[in-house]
Amino acid sequence: VKILLKGLKDNGCPFERKHFQCAVTNRAISGAFVSTQGVVVGSNQLRNKQHLEQVLTHELIHAYDYCRAKIDENDCRHLACAEIRAANLSGDCDLLREWGRLNFGFFGMLEKCVRRRAALAISNNPACNGQNVNAVVDSVYEDSMTDISPFDEDDLL
């Protein structure tokens, strides 16, 4: 979280307390990034402190991408890249989390999880209506996975 907050500040998008909100959500959504407001955390969906940190990391990756890459919310490819990065870099797809979702396996598990979560996230977005979301994810997957900014390799170990 600290690295992302610094990255946002360094790119001219400082995040302050006003950019964070807690809300009771009616759906099983733990968090969201709204470009005009900031990060919203579903307080009734959080299981523990570790889950909160993972949700904040995921949503701050979106904030960082919107700041740095100027995400076009009407471009499904931009949205797919943002979701791939967030799933990959936030810990959404770590081994224990996937096993908790009853997705068992070892080989290729990260890739399957990232692709699945990105496709699911963009499938609910009006910008992607009528598009084959798996094909959109495929088209930006490699470039999105290699972009680990603002982290460096040591941060991800």
Side-chain angles (χ1 to χ4, degrees):
V1 172
K2 288 180 183 179
I3 292 169
L4 287 159
L5 292 173
K6 182 179 182 322
L8 283 160
K9 184 178 178 182
D10 291 350
N11 279 278
C13 303
F15 244 60
E16 300 169 0
R17 186 168 287 196
K18 67 181 179 182
H19 294 113
F20 295 94
Q21 300 174 31
C22 283
V24 175
T25 60
N26 294 329
R27 299 181 346 180
I29 295 176
S30 301
F33 173 71
V34 181
S35 62
T36 57
Q37 296 175 332
V39 172
V40 180
V41 175
S43 59
N44 57 317
Q45 302 297 328
L46 300 175
R47 296 181 298 276
N48 54 41
K49 182 181 177 194
Q50 182 182 16
H51 187 210
L52 171 62
E53 290 172 0
Q54 182 269 315
V55 169
L56 287 175
T57 300
H58 181 107
E59 302 310 334
L60 285 171
I61 290 166
H62 288 317
Y64 179 82
D65 285 349
Y66 272 74
C67 174
R68 176 192 65 143
K70 311 297 185 222
I71 300 291
D72 178 351
E73 294 179 336
N74 296 309
D75 186 330
C76 192
R77 289 170 46 89
H78 283 208
L79 299 173
C81 183
E83 292 297 343
I84 290 166
R85 282 179 35 78
N88 180 43
L89 298 172
S90 68
D92 282 354
C93 291
D94 71 18
L95 188 64
L96 293 178
R97 190 163 314 242
E98 273 295 271
W99 285 355
R101 294 181 189 120
L102 304 178
N103 293 319
F104 299 106
F106 290 102
F107 303 107
M109 196 166 166
L110 174 66
E111 181 176 347
K112 288 176 191 172
C113 175
V114 169
R115 287 179 185 274
R116 183 185 74 248
R117 294 185 64 79
L120 177 64
I122 67 172
S123 70
N124 296 319
N125 193 302
C128 300
N129 279 349
Q131 297 188 47
N132 178 334
V133 293
N134 291 318
V136 173
V137 168
D138 289 346
S139 73
V140 297
Y141 182 81
E142 293 301 326
D143 288 340
S144 302
M145 286 294 285
T146 58
D147 179 3
I148 62 169
S149 181
F151 302 103
D152 60 35
E153 293 289 335
D154 292 336
D155 297 323
L156 302 176
L157 297 178

